[in-house]
Amino acid sequence: MSDMKALAHLMKELEDQLVVCMRCGMCQSVCPLYDQTGREADVARGKLALLDGLMHEMFKDPEGVYERLNKCLLCGSCAANCPSGVNVLEIFMKARAILTGYMDLPPAKKLVLRGMLAHPELFDRMAEWGARFQKVFTRPVNDVVGTSCARVISPLLGRRHFKNLAETPFHKMVPVLKTRPGKSGVRAAFYVGCLIDKIFPHIAQAVVDVLTYHEVGIVLPENQACCGIPAVSSGDMKTFRSLLEHNLNSFNPGEFDYLVTACATCTSTFKEVWPAMAEAAGNGDMGLLRRVERIAEKTMDINAFMVNIIGLAPPVRGVGGDTENPPEVITYHDPCHLKKALGVSVEPRAMIKANPRYQLKEMASSDWCCGMGGSFNLQYYGISSTIGRQKRDNIVATGCSSVATGCPACMLQIADALSRSGDRVAVRHPVEIYAEQLKRHEN
Ligand code: SF4
Ligand code: SF4
């Protein structure tokens, strides 16, 4: 993004997109941030007005604009509710790219993004070291949620209750896979994603189990890299480009019919963020853009894939929990990146309902953002955890023993909120619930 031509091109695109907002304010009622602060500067309309000014004032106060622009969960609730179809997230990401191209990244972000995330093998090694030494610095706090907290007050972890890194990441358990399709006749590539690989490897194992059970051929390339969302949402197009190329080289769309992920954020990044930002990242490289579009077309959330492509034919249907063990109440949280960005909400529920051990009970406002927002949680933990607390209250009010959601980032946020309140509610992924049912049937 140091290229002034690319910068000018992005600014022009941004200008064209900004005029679509008619300042109606419909985004206010759905913005979780505005709900907390009541500040116009925090909602999409306020940020868009600011960017309009930015175009004309030519970067008078880039730091101030960057700060206001960063204070956003990138949840997409505003875009989903916008009558004019303003592509708010794309505008915010392009604006962040322009500002970062102009000012460069803060040193700490540069170290994390360019020094670590951009180098997948180094990132893996650092996570392995972290997993080895984490018990020295953390102690378990809630055995049902599976959370720990810091042993001594640390500025990075604060009062958070978090999931520890897994002792063995998924890429060590299953480094590579290439299996033929059986009776399904379908071959799916599996993109694991950082959080599932390093914190929730059992979810990745559940994906492999479910695909194998349904005789779907699996293409699991080794040395997978981050999808790039932390980079692009920080405006770091350099790291984004390098991760994009790594992933494009790993996944050859000629080898599979679909690319599945169990992470709502990764799915929406592949499907929406990659095509929106690839041209800018690739400096107009149309070959790169075409490869991105081919992958985006084939990408699917695992729940949507199982229900809409495989036809979800569980071995036992409609049989409730046995008489001695009545079904456990479970509730479901809709990740913004799944429901608002991709319209996937029925399918994860179908996956849960396929397991008769559970009875699905809806919580109030299941699609209200949980407050995670990636790096938003690191920067604005106070607001993030207040939003998370509302989600926790809605979960607990159902009387459930488990809550499921299709995004590992939401799982972390919900686990923190539940654990800090001392709740004994397990946090699961719908594919785990479904895989558990298949195992029960096999035994
Ligand atoms: S972003 Fe959409 S909903 Fe918000 S003010 Fe603009 S037009 Fe209205
Ligand atoms: S993306 Fe979410 S937090 Fe950001 S302005 Fe839109 S609704 Fe508000």
Side-chain angles (χ1 to χ4, degrees):
M1 276 302 302
S2 52
D3 183 353
M4 286 314 287
K5 231 172 92 190
L7 206 67
H9 182 71
L10 259 190
M11 281 173 62
K12 177 78 188 69
E13 278 183 5
L14 195 60
E15 226 163 23
D16 292 345
Q17 285 178 299
L18 279 169
V19 295
V20 183
C21 173
M22 55 185 185
R23 310 280 192 261
C24 65
M26 294 279 282
C27 42
Q28 278 185 352
S29 62
V30 291
C31 176
L33 192 61
Y34 182 79
D35 183 62
Q36 287 302 314
T37 66
R39 291 182 67 228
E40 177 67 14
D42 291 333
V43 76
R45 181 173 66 173
K47 290 182 169 73
L48 295 174
L50 175 81
L51 290 178
D52 216 7
L54 173 86
M55 293 295 110
H56 298 121
E57 285 174 38
M58 288 308 287
F59 302 159
K60 238 192 207 158
D61 176 22
E63 280 91 3
V65 178
Y66 191 64
E67 203 191 314
R68 277 170 68 182
L69 202 59
N70 256 340
K71 200 173 173 193
C72 169
L73 292 146
L74 295 182
C75 61
S77 305
C78 46
N81 206 47
C82 173
S84 306
V86 179
N87 200 333
V88 185
L89 298 191
E90 197 176 317
I91 293 175
F92 289 176
M93 284 187 292
K94 283 182 178 166
R96 287 179 185 190
I98 291 169
L99 287 161
T100 302
Y102 183 69
M103 302 188 304
D104 207 1
L105 284 170
K109 273 198 177 177
K110 200 184 245 178
L111 192 70
V112 172
L113 295 172
R114 293 190 190 157
M116 189 177 74
L117 208 68
H119 308 283
E121 284 178 26
L122 176 66
F123 182 35
D124 284 351
R125 238 175 298 138
M126 291 182 78
E128 279 162 38
W129 291 334
R132 215 170 296 155
F133 297 114
Q134 63 191 344
K135 286 200 178 124
V136 179
F137 305 104
T138 65
R139 65 179 167 84
V141 274
N142 187 318
D143 59 331
V144 175
V145 187
T147 38
S148 297
C149 67
R151 280 190 196 274
V152 283
I153 299 295
S154 94
L156 183 67
L157 299 172
R159 292 165 288 125
R160 287 177 177 80
H161 286 192
F162 46 84
K163 300 285 290 184
N164 273 342
L165 290 160
E167 274 176 26
T168 311
F170 185 69
H171 72 267
K172 285 269 157 138
M173 291 158 65
V174 187
V176 65
L177 264 181
K178 212 167 202 173
T179 61
R180 288 178 181 283
K183 67 172 187 291
S184 77
V186 174
R187 202 188 296 262
F190 177 27
Y191 175 78
V192 180
C194 309
L195 292 182
I196 290 186
D197 180 53
K198 293 167 179 51
I199 299 180
F200 302 104
H202 59 284
I203 296 178
Q205 187 58 58
V207 171
V208 170
D209 291 348
V210 163
L211 294 177
T212 306
Y213 180 88
H214 287 278
E215 299 190 24
V216 175
I218 306 173
V219 179
L220 176 84
E222 55 188 341
N223 298 327
Q224 297 193 18
C226 164
C227 67
I229 192 68
V232 80
S233 57
S234 298
D236 180 6
M237 300 302 273
K238 195 172 163 205
T239 304
F240 176 58
R241 161 106 199 205
S242 125
L243 292 170
L244 192 61
E245 281 184 347
H246 185 107
N247 283 312
L248 289 175
N249 291 335
S250 303
F251 289 93
N252 170 7
E255 289 182 0
F256 49 84
D257 307 300
Y258 299 93
L259 184 151
V260 297
T261 90
C263 173
T265 304
C266 297
T267 313
S268 73
T269 301
F270 277 44
K271 285 193 88 63
E272 302 203 316
V273 178
W274 279 16
M277 303 304 285
E279 200 182 332
N283 253 335
D285 177 348
M286 296 315 280
L288 182 97
L289 187 59
R290 269 193 297 277
R291 285 161 74 202
V292 159
E293 278 167 355
R294 271 191 84 196
I295 295 269
E297 272 166 25
K298 293 192 172 197
T299 300
M300 275 187 108
D301 163 64
I302 182 70
N303 304 290
F305 173 78
M306 289 310 302
V307 173
N308 302 328
I309 306 300
I310 300 304
L312 188 66
V316 184
R317 265 194 200 276
V319 183
D322 49 61
T323 40
E324 280 169 36
N325 300 299
E328 286 178 31
V329 174
I330 189 167
T331 192
Y332 178 73
H333 159 69
D334 285 290
C336 299
H337 288 146
L338 212 48
K339 185 173 177 188
K340 287 160 196 150
L342 305 171
V344 175
S345 63
V346 172
E347 297 88 342
R349 288 173 167 83
M351 293 281 275
I352 296 167
K353 286 180 191 161
N355 187 337
R357 198 183 134 196
Y358 297 94
Q359 178 200 346
L360 181 65
K361 189 169 171 191
E362 292 292 339
M363 70 174 90
S365 309
S366 65
D367 61 356
W368 187 257
C369 177
C370 68
M372 180 57 164
S375 60
F376 180 88
N377 173 277
L378 293 176
Q379 246 175 310
Y380 301 102
Y381 183 62
I383 305 175
S384 172
S385 58
T386 309
I387 302 172
R389 172 81 195 192
Q390 290 174 344
K391 181 58 64 179
R392 173 262 163 203
D393 291 347
N394 292 344
I395 292 167
V396 170
T398 64
C400 65
S401 58
S402 306
V403 52
T405 187
C407 179
C410 300
M411 287 174 77
L412 293 180
Q413 171 78 345
I414 290 171
D416 182 25
L418 290 167
S419 180
R420 282 182 56 197
S421 302
D423 302 312
R424 297 180 66 73
V425 175
V427 185
R428 324 256 333 255
H429 191 289
V431 79
E432 283 181 76
I433 306 283
Y434 180 67
E436 182 188 282
Q437 154 68 1
L438 298 180
K439 276 221 168 69
R440 229 163 58 123
H441 176 71
E442 278 169 350
N443 291 335

